[in-house]
């Protein structure tokens, strides 16, 4: 999914890694039990991976961009299983993870249909009782400017519960951060 130069610079920066570690993940994963086997869809440059690899027993990440997947393998391949794979077509067996997560990446998926396929794949690879959790950005002027000549397909928080339900999830919750710039979601595979 194309990203402009400013966006790539931001997402690969130490500042973004700190923001992810200190603000985004603690809020997005509050009260979520990840379990031992975790899949992250769309790790990008690895800001979330850095935190998750220290927090879970076994981490697998699925990254659609081949160059980025190679970069992640070089940095984290000894501690996480890195797959060059599309989150909408995961090369993984059914019911193989305790949790699936994705953070600040859904808006990079060009269509709602492909986002829905990611949701369905997350449901498929989760064990019964497993949780799908994550977060994504909401539109604002600054966010739109960051995405000039870039993919930006934000998720509507009001529509997300129905979309996750259609993918087979139950116990769906979606919250918007009090500052309004980000949403979080969690859902359970029955």
């Amino acid at each position: 999914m194309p990203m402009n130069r400013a966006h790539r610079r931001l997402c690969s920066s130490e500042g973004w890694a700190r923001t992810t570690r200190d603000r985004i993940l603690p809020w997005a994963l509050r009260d979520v039990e990840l379990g031992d086997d975790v899949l992250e869809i769309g790790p990008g440059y690895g800001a979330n991976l850095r935190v998750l690899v220290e927090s879970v027993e076994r981490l697998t990440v699925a990254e659609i961009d081949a160059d980025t997947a190679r970069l992640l393998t070089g940095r984290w391949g000894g501690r996480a299983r890195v797959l060059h794979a599309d989150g909408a077509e995961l090369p993984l067996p059914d019911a193989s993870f305790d949790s699936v997560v994705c953070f600040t990446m859904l808006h990079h998926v060009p269509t709602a249909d492909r986002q829905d396929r990611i949701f369905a794949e997350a449901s498929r690879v989760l064990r019964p009782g497993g949780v799908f959790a994550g977060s994504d950005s909401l539109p604002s002027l600054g966010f739109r400017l960051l995405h000039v000549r870039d993919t930006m397909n934000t998720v509507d928080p009001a529509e997300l519960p129905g979309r996750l339900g259609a993918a087979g999830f139950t116990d769906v919750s979606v919250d918007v951060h009090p500052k309004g710039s980000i949403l979080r979601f969690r859902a359970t595979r029955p």
Side-chain angles (χ1 to χ4, degrees):
M1 307 304 161
M3 289 174 62
N4 65 44
R5 183 176 300 177
H7 199 167
R8 286 192 309 268
R9 190 175 317 121
L10 172 69
C11 290
S12 63
S13 72
E14 285 301 314
W16 179 249
R18 282 190 304 275
T19 297
T20 296
R21 181 193 68 216
D22 298 340
R23 294 176 38 209
I24 295 173
L25 291 183
W27 182 72
L29 293 176
R30 185 177 299 140
D31 301 322
V32 173
E33 293 294 327
L34 294 176
D36 292 334
D37 293 305
V38 178
L39 170 65
E40 180 185 10
I41 298 173
Y45 293 102
N48 309 306
L49 188 159
R50 296 177 184 204
V51 176
L52 294 170
V53 78
E54 299 295 334
S55 308
V56 301
E57 188 70 26
R58 286 172 297 282
L59 178 64
T60 300
V61 299
E63 172 55 46
I64 194 168
D65 181 75
D67 291 337
T68 306
R70 279 191 291 280
L71 174 81
L72 294 173
T73 299
R75 286 189 186 157
W76 302 102
R79 302 193 55 205
R81 179 180 171 203
V82 179
L83 304 174
H84 171 221
D86 183 343
E89 300 174 29
L90 294 167
L92 296 164
D94 295 355
S96 51
F97 294 94
D98 297 318
S99 61
V100 176
V101 296
C102 64
F103 305 99
T104 321
M105 58 72 67
L106 289 170
H107 68 272
H108 289 286
V109 179
T111 67
D113 179 60
R114 283 198 71 76
Q115 291 171 344
D116 290 343
R117 288 173 51 199
I118 289 170
F119 302 155
E121 280 292 274
S123 180
R124 182 185 67 77
V125 301
L126 274 170
R127 295 181 179 119
V131 66
F132 179 40
S135 63
D136 206 39
S137 301
L138 295 172
S140 68
L141 178 59
F143 189 71
R144 289 179 204 284
L145 291 173
L146 180 63
H147 289 80
V148 170
R149 292 182 301 173
D150 199 306
T151 302
M152 188 185 103
N153 180 33
T154 56
V155 176
D156 183 339
E159 295 176 2
L160 188 54
R163 292 173 67 189
L164 291 172
F169 290 104
T170 61
D171 303 320
V172 175
S173 69
V174 176
D175 302 299
V176 173
H177 191 276
K179 292 185 179 180
S181 61
I182 188 171
L183 67 81
R184 71 177 172 195
F185 63 89
R186 59 263 332 255
T188 304
R189 179 176 185 245

